[in-house]
Amino acid sequence: MKKSSLWQFISNTPVSAWRHLIEKARLYKELFLCPTTPWLIKTLMVIAVLYLLMPIDLIPDTIPILGVTDDLAIMGLILSYADRFITDEMRDRVNNRQQ
């Protein structure tokens, strides 16, 4: 039985999403460990992780949808800013380790 292209897309999406998340985590680790990364970026990355783990939030997690949204928004803002400092050399090192 041949699978439709829509079914292949739907079944492959979670796998590709996890691969993307793992690649991004490796890039952020590389960015954090790089000695040329500004201390402000490293500090913001630590703050983002601590805020995600902290039990006290701006919007409590007990409020459906909104409670998690503020955590994700702050993480997204900080990490999108940190993305600007990821160099091509860092991407190459991460890609070479995967192979």
Side-chain angles (χ1 to χ4, degrees), residues 58-70:
L58 293 174
I59 301 173
D61 290 341
T62 55
I63 299 173
I65 300 172
L66 291 177
V68 178
T69 305
D70 74 319

Side-chain angles (χ1 to χ4, degrees), residues 2-14:
K2 184 176 176 171
K3 293 182 181 179
S4 69
S5 59
L6 177 62
W7 176 250
Q8 287 177 344
F9 173 75
I10 291 171
S11 63
N12 289 333
T13 299

Side-chain angles (χ1 to χ4, degrees), residues 31-50:
L31 177 66
F32 188 79
L33 296 177
C34 183
T36 60
T37 302
W39 65 269
L40 177 63
I41 299 303
K42 292 181 180 185
T43 305
L44 287 174
M45 291 173 75
V46 169
I47 288 172
V49 171
L50 289 177

Side-chain angles (χ1 to χ4, degrees), residues 13-57:
T13 299
V15 174
S16 61
W18 277 111
R19 285 183 184 152
H20 179 73
L21 285 175
I22 291 169
E23 180 184 342
K24 287 296 253 185
R26 288 179 178 152
L27 279 171
Y28 292 134
K29 177 184 171 190
E30 185 72 31
L31 177 66
F32 188 79
L33 296 177
C34 183
T36 60
T37 302
W39 65 269
L40 177 63
I41 299 303
K42 292 181 180 185
T43 305
L44 287 174
M45 291 173 75
V46 169
I47 288 172
V49 171
L50 289 177
Y51 184 78
L52 184 66
L53 299 175
M54 190 171 51
I56 301 170
D57 291 336

